[in-house]
């Protein structure tokens, strides 16, 4: 079973004519890797956004699972929140 990044997440075992496929574990592994990849891609875009707009004082301060927390200059709240939300 392969994830979206083409890595094998679980090997399927074949014993005689019986196939052991840990379906839920395969799905969980694929989802976890997909989620991690999406989070890393979003972080890169947020860092680039911060570099392009220094007056926003944008920083990614924490991230876990499917959540990214940012800090920024409140004077730019509307544009920062909209832009970061569209990235995530």
């Amino acid at each position: 079973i392969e994830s979206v990044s083409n890595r094998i997440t679980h090997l399927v075992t074949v014993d005689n004519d019986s196939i052991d496929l840990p379906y839920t574990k395969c799905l969980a592994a694929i989802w976890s890797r997909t989620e991690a990849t999406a989070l890393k891609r979003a972080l890169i875009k947020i860092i680039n956004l911060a570099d392009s707009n220094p007056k926003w004082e944008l920083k990614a301060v924490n991230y876990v699972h499917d959540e990214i927390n940012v800090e920024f200059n409140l004077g730019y709240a509307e544009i920062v929140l909209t832009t970061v939300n569209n990235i995530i």
Side-chain angles (χ1 to χ4, degrees):
I1 304 299
E2 294 182 359
S3 70
V4 294
S5 59
N6 297 322
R7 294 185 180 153
I8 295 175
T9 58
H10 286 280
L11 294 176
V12 176
T13 58
V14 179
D15 185 21
N16 297 328
D17 291 331
S18 175
I19 297 175
D20 179 24
L21 176 63
Y23 182 73
T24 55
K25 288 182 181 178
C26 290
L27 260 148
I30 291 168
W31 179 254
S32 179
R33 288 182 184 210
T34 302
E35 188 176 74
T37 301
L39 186 76
K40 289 172 190 170
R41 288 178 180 168
L43 281 169
I44 291 167
K45 289 179 181 180
I46 290 170
I47 290 167
N48 290 337
L49 185 66
D51 290 343
S52 299
N53 300 281
K55 60 187 174 189
W56 292 0
E57 301 174 26
L58 176 62
K59 295 180 210 170
V61 294
N62 189 28
Y63 53 91
V64 62
H65 303 292
D66 62 347
E67 180 180 317
I68 300 173
N69 297 352
V70 296
E71 289 181 354
F72 54 88
N73 180 332
L74 291 177
Y76 298 93
E78 185 175 346
I79 187 67
V80 171
L81 292 172
T82 300
T83 308
V84 169
N85 190 52
N86 288 340
I87 288 172
I88 296 171

